[in-house]
Amino acid sequence: MGKQLPKYKEIERDILNQIQSGALKIGDQIETENELCERYKVSRMTARKALDLLSSQGYINRMPGRGTFVSSIQISKNANFTRSFSDDMRSIGKAPGSILVSYSIHRAAEIPEAARELGLGDDELVHSIIRIRTADDTIMALSYTYLPVSLFPNFDLRMLEGSLYNYISQHYDIDPTDGSRTISAVLPTPQQKKWLKIDDIPLLKISHPGHLTDGRRFEYSETYYIGSHFIYRYERSE
């Protein structure tokens, strides 16, 4: 027999399943602590712990005097304009954050998809960066960024403390009007689940190259957003 879940985890999982299935939608009110206590036959402390966990992960928003509601971060994106994750978060009043998971250098042949997108030969070198992206300290996404070493021979890891995109734009003329990107829904790998602290919930994968004004590709990135509390909406300018 499997180990029985603690009651607070059972409550957390049940509410999360309702959010992920659509039974609870953005803006819907969650049962109160008292109602959860009655439903699950638990103490108020246990019910509060479950709600605190969901709140810390960004799934719900606890509003004193009003109740607890399903939350989501909604971003409006112009389909013809490339904007960094950090700028996206600032546009809705959130503080962007970044946690470096790994940094390494690879031969292009070892990462064929990125090499193809960057137009690199097999023996050219590529910076490979994996970061957890946060908004107000809530984990939002996992990003994989690839940069040609030929363009960035003296890579400084301090570049990753803020917006990498903004740093690059200070040193190169970036073309922000290339909005080409690929969007797909995928399930997380076991490693991604550990990094994002999630179960088997869909991720929104957005991949795109970045261009300089002279046409060269300076970046290829893949960002995996936690789909259960992130809505990516495109608005095409007239």
Side-chain angles (χ1 to χ4, degrees):
M1 294 181 62
K3 186 177 180 180
Q4 187 174 6
L5 279 177
K7 273 294 184 179
Y8 74 90
K9 290 295 292 183
E10 180 185 339
I11 298 170
E12 177 198 20
R13 180 164 295 185
D14 284 354
I15 294 174
L16 185 54
N17 285 340
Q18 291 179 68
I19 294 173
Q20 292 169 356
S21 68
L24 284 172
K25 296 178 173 57
I26 296 167
D28 284 353
Q29 188 165 5
I30 303 293
E31 291 177 288
T32 66
E33 290 179 6
N34 286 338
E35 289 169 335
L36 291 172
C37 290
E38 185 174 342
R39 176 189 291 272
Y40 290 94
K41 310 302 180 190
V42 297
S43 68
R44 192 162 183 175
M45 182 180 296
T46 298
R48 183 178 297 121
K49 186 172 183 179
L51 294 178
D52 285 345
L53 284 171
L54 289 165
S55 177
S56 68
Q57 297 172 71
Y59 292 107
I60 62 175
N61 183 21
R62 309 191 73 182
M63 305 176 68
R66 291 186 55 192
T68 302
F69 301 86
V70 178
S71 64
S72 175
I73 292 180
Q74 302 187 38
I75 303 294
S76 294
K77 296 284 285 185
N78 187 311
N80 295 322
F81 192 85
T82 299
R83 186 169 63 181
S84 71
F85 175 92
S86 295
D87 287 340
D88 278 343
M89 294 303 106
R90 292 190 188 100
S91 74
I92 56 170
K94 303 289 183 180
S98 180
I99 302 170
L100 180 63
V101 174
S102 72
Y103 165 76
S104 55
I105 294 179
H106 296 276
R107 289 179 58 249
E110 298 170 347
I111 43 175
E113 183 176 359
R116 182 176 63 253
E117 292 289 343
L118 290 169
L120 300 177
D122 286 350
D123 290 328
E124 293 187 73
L125 299 179
V126 184
H127 299 287
S128 174
I129 305 150
I130 303 176
R131 291 178 293 168
I132 295 168
R133 310 310 303 274
T134 63
D136 287 350
D137 297 322
T138 295
I139 294 176
M140 295 299 301
L142 183 67
S143 68
Y144 299 75
T145 304
Y146 304 96
L147 306 169
V149 170
S150 59
L151 271 179
F152 305 98
N154 300 312
F155 191 81
D156 188 340
L157 287 178
R158 287 176 296 181
M159 292 164 55
L160 305 178
E161 294 175 359
S163 169
L164 178 60
Y165 196 88
N166 288 344
Y167 176 89
I168 294 172
S169 68
Q170 294 171 8
H171 295 78
Y172 293 90
D173 292 326
I174 290 175
D175 179 5
T177 62
D178 184 356
S180 61
R181 52 180 60 79
T182 301
I183 303 175
S184 57
V186 299
L187 287 175
T189 66
Q191 184 60 71
Q192 288 173 333
K193 287 192 288 187
K194 290 181 181 179
W195 285 335
L196 293 172
K197 300 180 181 179
I198 57 174
D199 293 321
D200 285 315
I201 63 174
L203 300 176
L204 182 65
K205 176 186 176 183
I206 300 180
S207 55
H208 66 90
H211 292 79
L212 301 179
T213 51
D214 61 11
R216 287 180 296 170
R217 294 188 173 187
F218 71 89
E219 172 203 33
Y220 173 67
S221 69
E222 295 178 349
T223 304
Y224 295 78
Y225 296 92
I226 299 176
S228 57
H229 58 281
F230 192 95
I231 293 177
Y232 218 87
R233 184 174 66 248
Y234 281 98
E235 297 179 349
R236 183 175 293 276
S237 59
E238 298 296 333

